[in-house]
Amino acid sequence: MCGIVGVLSNHEASPILVEALKRLEYRGYDSAGIATVNAGVLDRRRAVGKLVNLSDLLVHEPLPGKAGIGHTRWATHGAPSVTNAHPHQAGPVAVVHNGIIENFRELREELASHGIQFVTETDTETVALLAQHYMQNGTRPQEAAFKALDRLRGAFALAFLFSGHDDLIVAARRGSPLAIGHGDGEMYVGSDAIALAPLTNQISYLEEGDRAVVTRHSLEIWDADGTPVTRVKKTIEVDGARIDKAGHKHFMAKEIAEQPGVIARALGHYLSEDGQITLPGPGIDFTAVDRLTMVACGTAYYACLTAKYWFEQIARMPVEVDVASEFRYREPPVPTRTAALFVSQSGETADTLAALRYCTGKADQILSVINAPESSIARESDAVLPIHAGVEVGVASTKAFTCQLTVLFILALKAAQDRGEITTNRRADLVACLRGLPNIISTALGGNAEMQQTALRLSEARDVLFLGRGLMYPIALEGALKLKEISYIHAEAYAAGELKHGPIALIDKQVPVVVMAPRDALFEKTLSNMQEVMAREGRVILVSDAKGIREFGEGAYATLEMPQIDDLLTPILYAIPAQLLAYHTAVAKGTDVDQPRNLAKSVTVE
Ligand code: F6R
């Protein structure tokens, strides 16, 4: 998942590299490092932990030079340490890498047989050592790097820098994204266009298997077959301004608060003034397919799980949902007249991308619901449905989730309409409810203080259970995921009806049970499950609407009141308490809310 960057500048490279790495820190924060070439000399600085540690180091030990590469790490091979931090250097070669070199053991053995010593536990060091090994026979840097690349199996985005060459970066992409930025007499390399946004909006994306030789005034690219190619230079619309917290304590708080605005923006893109659904680009004709396969990871997977209920209930369309890491290796049959839909905030999740590639050529249509329109998943889809959530910095996904849900709901409505499964009046009612969603979410956000109080109780728990039935089941799963990832409290979610098939054994008075239960058609069923919990001294935190709380709130340990909304739209609304409970619990526990331990925002390794 790491982030990589490279610059061939006319100014000092260090501050540029650090600034770009700041914008890539969402990819990992186990360590950070940079290397530069100055007067022909290759040197580097590296620090464990967040980028700020590298910045501090650079104050005391500046690194001059106008050509450089940089890295922010999410550890795969080897613990987070200075030795294992990138850039890895072997004599005249320094390398930064995002991905995993799968055959590194075999390559290490081969290099060791030549008497070559290793100093790190990483797979990446092998790449630097291989290139150095090839350079020893007098091979030029570019050819040595290409020879090293020929030997690699696995996934990578790589950038090489060489001593004695302050106008050269060799870059390569296989499996992990890489963008080349064009400046005015300067060139840049980065894991994404966001990293390069303050420097340029002129971007060429490398394709799978591409290798590039970059100088300040030239860019040469060869494709996977070694044929020289050009890759179009696109003007990218990414805001280069520093992304700030806008007065909030955390990015996550800011992103939670932004939801009414970003959902309104998404609605504006998908609903015309007269309430018609307008899909971007080629869209999708749901009369041409009979079933939908939806694939994603983590929170995006829970968005798919929610959408399954919608597609089945509103459009009467069979839907399969799977986590990408399972789907990709199961080799499931993809029947004819199937549309495959991939949901991803980053658009770079390695497993989701691999699942998409598995379906390419098998499914009738490849659709994606993404937040990053220039991402690999977007670029490999037949039709792209952007969620318009804006940049999401907090590692725990919040506004992207509710925007994914909003777009998926509109897609389910479109399917219902195309398949003749919805009356005009019901469709108009639902569109009207959708339009009211931003206001209702604002009302729900107004309950922040109550959430904070309840979270204080959760913060003392060792385990927390979440229960939900029907459309609330995926939201219970999302609530549990949010809580565990940022507060480190063990949390599990169950379909309420499953409780008595095992998990009820966990209930005692130490275990808070968050029950997501709007007063809908399934409320009474869930109510019975709540009673089963309370009969065993479990502490129920009931999240419901006024009616639900009036009818059942009395015996609960705590109640959280949500505004009233059409039953079908409750998942989008009830995502708010799921997020706020997790957020305030994490704040009460004093954890690192925006960059929780062991996690990264963009999961580009499997
Ligand atoms: C949880 C979270 C992750 C992501 C997952 C998929 O808060 O953010 O579970 O949802 O890693 O990421 P994307 O959506 O980028 O494919």
Side-chain angles (χ1 to χ4, degrees):
M1 353 241 228
C2 315
I4 71 171
V5 63
V7 300
L8 296 172
S9 180
N10 297 313
H11 304 94
E12 283 303 301
S14 295
I16 304 175
L17 290 167
V18 169
E19 194 53 40
L21 289 177
K22 260 185 209 149
R23 299 170 72 89
L24 285 175
E25 208 179 11
Y26 69 88
R27 287 170 165 260
Y29 31 83
D30 286 334
S31 65
I34 60 172
T36 61
V37 180
N38 184 40
V41 178
L42 182 61
D43 198 0
R44 57 187 172 153
R45 300 282 181 271
R46 299 172 297 161
V48 176
K50 295 193 180 175
L51 191 60
V52 65
N53 300 342
L54 176 68
S55 300
D56 289 349
L57 176 69
L58 286 164
V59 172
H60 303 292
E61 297 177 34
L63 192 63
K66 294 179 177 166
I69 53 176
H71 188 269
T72 176
R73 179 169 190 239
W74 185 82
T76 59
H77 295 64
S81 65
V82 173
T83 310
N84 288 332
H86 299 220
H88 289 291
Q89 185 172 356
V93 189
V95 173
V96 285
H97 170 214
N98 168 30
I100 292 178
I101 307 300
E102 283 168 3
N103 59 335
F104 84 101
R105 280 185 194 81
E106 179 184 318
L107 293 170
R108 270 176 98 113
E109 275 169 29
E110 182 186 317
L111 289 164
S113 73
H114 293 287
I116 293 169
Q117 310 261 323
F118 293 84
V119 289
T120 82
E121 301 157 282
T122 68
D123 51 340
T124 309
E125 187 188 13
T126 323
V127 184
L129 286 167
L130 263 180
Q132 179 197 29
H133 179 60
Y134 292 129
M135 278 175 79
Q136 271 158 6
N137 310 327
T139 309
R140 291 188 309 130
Q142 166 191 332
E143 283 155 47
F146 278 23
K147 277 178 96 166
L149 289 167
D150 287 339
R151 305 292 314 281
L152 307 181
R153 281 205 313 272
F156 51 78
L158 282 159
F160 297 77
L161 190 69
F162 305 90
S163 63
H165 296 266
D166 68 357
D167 191 19
L168 175 68
I169 288 177
V170 175
R173 174 207 163 137
R174 192 194 300 157
S176 304
L178 201 56
I180 310 281
H182 303 257
D184 187 8
E186 301 195 343
M187 292 291 272
Y188 321 102
V189 171
S191 290
D192 64 26
I194 300 171
L196 305 182
L199 301 167
T200 182
N201 63 355
Q202 300 295 301
I203 299 289
S204 305
Y205 286 98
L206 295 189
E207 303 275 332
E208 266 310 273
D210 279 359
R211 292 164 183 194
V213 172
V214 189
T215 71
R216 285 184 179 77
H217 294 281
S218 70
L219 170 62
E220 289 177 281
I221 303 176
W222 291 263
D223 70 10
D225 301 325
T227 311
V229 286
T230 48
R231 300 292 177 214
V232 279
K233 196 198 286 184
K234 294 183 176 177
T235 304
I236 301 294
E237 283 173 36
V238 184
D239 191 355
R242 219 22 209 290
I243 305 158
D244 66 17
K245 294 180 192 150
H248 291 269
K249 195 168 169 198
H250 299 100
F251 279 108
M252 184 177 176
K254 175 192 169 206
E255 288 157 5
I256 290 174
E258 275 175 353
Q259 289 174 108
V262 290
I263 289 175
R265 182 164 69 195
L267 290 172
H269 281 275
Y270 285 91
L271 297 177
S272 65
E273 292 277 306
D274 59 355
Q276 295 307 311
I277 296 167
T278 50
L279 299 188
I284 172 168
D285 174 7
F286 282 99
T287 59
V289 290
D290 296 331
R291 60 188 71 74
L292 191 60
T293 293
M294 299 179 76
V295 185
C297 299
T299 287
Y301 167 69
Y302 298 145
C304 295
L305 219 50
T306 314
K308 175 179 167 72
Y309 288 77
W310 286 332
F311 276 97
E312 289 177 354
Q313 287 178 12
I314 320 175
R316 308 303 305 152
M317 186 165 185
V319 176
E320 299 228 20
V321 178
D322 212 334
V323 286
S325 53
E326 288 301 314
F327 180 88
R328 61 179 292 189
Y329 291 116
R330 222 179 45 243
E331 301 191 359
V334 181
T336 51
R337 293 177 62 84
T338 298
L341 194 156
F342 302 87
V343 180
S344 174
Q345 187 284 128
S346 63
E348 299 294 351
T349 302
D351 285 319
T352 311
L353 182 59
L356 179 153
R357 288 182 178 152
Y358 173 78
C359 288
T360 303
K362 298 184 185 78
D364 288 64
Q365 246 197 314
I366 304 284
L367 310 169
S368 61
V369 171
I370 42 85
N371 197 28
E374 295 299 333
S375 59
S376 304
I377 291 178
R379 283 183 288 121
E380 295 189 30
S381 304
D382 298 327
V384 180
L385 303 158
I387 60 170
H388 302 287
V391 175
E392 191 179 66
V393 177
V395 163
S397 190
T398 51
K399 61 175 180 170
F401 179 60
T402 47
C403 286
Q404 284 163 352
L405 290 177
T406 304
V407 171
L408 288 168
F409 185 82
I410 292 173
L411 209 56
L413 267 187
K414 166 87 165 70
Q417 180 184 306
D418 286 358
R419 293 161 62 86
E421 293 286 354
I422 194 164
T423 63
T424 315
N425 284 348
R426 178 66 177 137
R427 202 191 67 88
D429 278 354
L430 286 173
V431 167
C433 288
L434 266 176
R435 289 203 197 280
L437 197 55
N439 277 340
I440 292 185
I441 289 186
S442 294
T443 309
L445 288 169
N448 205 9
E450 265 180 292
M451 302 282 171
Q452 204 167 348
Q453 282 306 314
T454 311
L456 281 180
R457 300 183 183 192
L458 287 186
S459 66
E460 285 156 15
R462 208 192 57 186
D463 308 286
V464 177
L465 295 187
F466 284 75
L467 298 182
R469 207 178 253 274
L471 281 163
M472 283 299 110
Y473 171 46
I475 302 307
L477 287 164
E478 171 63 1
L481 177 66
K482 283 288 91 95
L483 188 67
K484 66 186 140 196
E485 69 181 330
I486 59 170
S487 75
Y488 316 145
I489 293 175
H490 171 243
E492 293 297 333
Y494 294 97
E498 273 293 291
L499 193 67
K500 59 180 90 52
H501 299 287
I504 201 162
L506 296 171
I507 304 288
D508 64 24
K509 57 179 171 219
Q510 312 302 332
V511 181
V513 182
V514 181
V515 181
M516 301 281 191
R519 182 70 182 89
D520 60 13
L522 300 176
F523 183 72
E524 274 159 16
K525 303 279 172 204
T526 314
L527 198 100
S528 309
N529 305 129
M530 283 192 278
Q531 253 145 5
E532 290 153 13
V533 170
M534 287 164 74
R536 285 156 185 86
E537 297 189 276
R539 300 187 158 186
V540 168
I541 296 169
L542 174 63
V543 188
S544 186
D545 46 39
K547 209 164 162 215
I549 289 177
R550 223 174 18 249
E551 286 176 30
F552 187 70
E554 201 126 292
Y557 178 58
T559 56
L560 293 170
E561 189 179 318
M562 290 290 105
Q564 192 70 42
I565 195 169
D566 189 286
D567 290 353
L568 281 172
L569 289 174
T570 50
I572 311 181
L573 179 62
Y574 281 64
I576 305 297
Q579 297 165 353
L580 286 174
L581 282 176
Y583 174 73
H584 289 302
T585 306
V587 172
K589 291 202 72 184
T591 55
D592 190 341
V593 171
D594 285 331
Q595 296 186 326
R597 67 184 181 203
N598 304 339
L599 296 176
K601 183 96 191 132
S602 178
V603 185
T604 54
V605 294
E606 54 173 300

